[in-house]
Amino acid sequence: MITPSLPPSPIEVPEVKLFRALLMQVGLVRRVMTPYFRRFGISGAQWAVLRALARAHRDGLEGLKGSEIGDRLLIRPPSVTGVLDRLEREKLVQRLPSQADRRMKLVSLTTQGRELVEQLEAGHAGHIQQVFAGLSAQEQMELRTLIDKLNQHLTQLADQVEKSTS
Amino acid sequence: MITPSLPPSPIEVPEVKLFRALLMQVGLVRRVMTPYFRRFGISGAQWAVLRALARAHRDGLEGLKGSEIGDRLLIRPPSVTGVLDRLEREKLVQRLPSQADRRMKLVSLTTQGRELVEQLEAGHAGHIQQVFAGLSAQEQMELRTLIDKLNQHLTQLADQVEKSTS
DNA sequence: TCTACTTAGTTAGCGTACTAAGTATATAGG
DNA sequence: CCTATATACTTAGTACGCTAACTAAGTAGA
């Protein structure tokens, strides 16, 4: 006889609860940050790209290639193309063909893009501090240590997944 | 004279570094989990819904209404509609009109959906344990405590954002 | 040299998140 | 009773992530 009901709930290991807490965190951070970036007419992903380009600019580089942006942001090439398309449409970045390697395009901030970065940077630290205001400086340090350690492990795990898939 | 260059990089407060570590974590978890769910023909969001429905089923409920699902998963009504559309297409869930309140539809697992939940639950804990294998049991507990505390704060902050926007 | 492989970027198509706005039903206040 | 508000869900349109597949260009090996 086929039972139409589910068997009793499996024992919930602590890792699963931790994982759900982590997913909750992701959702909450999205809800807090998305409207914040919206005020500047951009998205979180767009800000991440603008910030990477600003850093490159300050390091004296002419620009970044798309693949470098993708590596830093942990997103795949098609996602980079999409975000750059929209940033270029808003005239915040430009894609200049490279003479050295004609396959790639060097992406850099426009004057308008640099102005927006400046404007955003003025209040950015303050807003991020609000996000973590629920934790003491000590707790923030502990969290940082744990996340870094977890990220190291996840990087390894992600590489394994990548290989086994391809 | 207008400077075409950016002013020097603002001082990077620890919170900003922590925030970037957190974003990194989000990207890495996505890269590890998405291929895992893919093996079962579903997505992470779909699993979250199936799991919520399984829990409701075990609690003896006929089903959940869409808004309850959205509340648990921290997603808005249109996202719930979309995920349910695809789950219904795959015959994993069903939307039954409620007689008590004709506005809502009670969402529940189909037999096929229950079978998939069972199948997935068999190996789920093991996979999640892999995700956190980079941390000791002690560290996992600490991380859990910190995330819970942060989530409490973020919930409050998200509510404020919601109110100020509307 | 010429083929094979690699790298850079794009396009196509899908799933999931959002806001804004619309429909239908329920409930409350005058 | 009947209008106003609130609730439940959907539709429309946008952004961002992915895989698969494609073009173009550089690189290496027979």
Side-chain angles (χ1 to χ4, degrees), chain B residues 97-105:
Chain B
S98 164
Q99 295 149 316
D101 186 335
R102 285 184 306 169
R103 288 171 300 180
M104 71 190 194
K105 298 166 186 173

Side-chain angles (χ1 to χ4, degrees), chain B residues 95-132:
Chain B
R95 282 187 263 211
L96 301 175
S98 164
Q99 295 149 316
D101 186 335
R102 285 184 306 169
R103 288 171 300 180
M104 71 190 194
K105 298 166 186 173
L106 276 178
V107 184
S108 55
L109 293 172
T110 60
T111 304
Q112 212 175 321
R114 283 195 287 271
E115 282 168 5
L116 181 58
V117 167
E118 263 188 74
Q119 187 193 338
L120 228 145
E121 273 177 344
H124 195 60
H127 191 262
I128 300 293
Q129 282 172 339
Q130 288 252 325
V131 169
F132 294 109

Side-chain angles (χ1 to χ4, degrees), chain A:
Chain A
M1 175 187 166
I2 296 147
T3 158
S5 284
L6 282 166
S9 191
I11 298 120
E12 189 117 295
V13 301
E15 282 90 344
V16 174
K17 290 187 185 176
L18 172 53
F19 188 67
R20 261 205 303 285
L22 202 146
L23 291 181
M24 200 75 133
Q25 188 195 55
V26 172
L28 288 166
V29 168
R30 187 174 1 91
R31 292 210 170 169
V32 170
M33 294 305 293
T34 305
Y36 165 69
F37 287 117
R38 215 180 153 71
R39 295 210 302 265
F40 297 93
I42 60 172
S43 69
Q46 287 169 11
W47 167 244
V49 170
L50 293 178
R51 199 200 151 272
L53 293 175
R55 180 162 284 259
H57 179 76
R58 286 183 172 119
D59 288 347
L61 299 175
E62 271 189 70
L64 291 177
K65 34 184 229 176
S67 58
E68 287 171 333
I69 296 173
D71 290 345
R72 296 187 193 199
L73 274 55
L74 284 177
I75 56 176
R76 306 285 181 197
S79 306
V80 177
T81 298
V83 177
L84 289 179
D85 282 348
R86 289 175 284 271
L87 284 171
E88 202 173 34
R89 196 182 63 200
E90 301 301 324
K91 302 201 190 327
L92 296 172
V93 310
Q94 54 196 345
R95 282 188 263 210
L96 301 174
S98 163
Q99 295 150 317
D101 187 335
R102 285 183 306 169
R103 287 171 302 180
M104 71 190 195
K105 298 165 186 174
L106 277 177
V107 183
S108 55
L109 293 172
T110 60
T111 303
Q112 214 175 319
R114 284 196 287 270
E115 282 168 5
L116 181 58
V117 167
E118 263 188 74
Q119 188 193 338
L120 227 145
E121 274 177 344
H124 195 60
H127 191 263
I128 300 293
Q129 282 173 337
Q130 287 254 325
V131 168
F132 293 108
L135 301 179
S136 71
Q138 170 70 27
E139 288 169 330
Q140 289 178 22
M141 260 181 51
E142 287 169 18
L143 181 57
R144 175 76 197 283
T145 304
L146 291 169
I147 289 183
D148 282 347
K149 194 167 180 180
L150 182 57
N151 283 357
Q152 214 172 340
H153 168 69
L154 287 174
T155 303
Q156 209 179 333
L157 201 55
D159 284 351
Q160 280 177 32
V161 170
E162 183 120 7
K163 277 180 193 163
S164 69
T165 306
S166 61

Side-chain angles (χ1 to χ4, degrees), chain B residues 43 46 76 78-79 83 86 89 101-103:
Chain B
S43 70
Q46 287 170 11
R76 307 285 182 197
S79 306
V83 177
R86 288 175 284 270
R89 196 181 62 198
D101 186 335
R102 285 184 306 169
R103 288 171 300 180

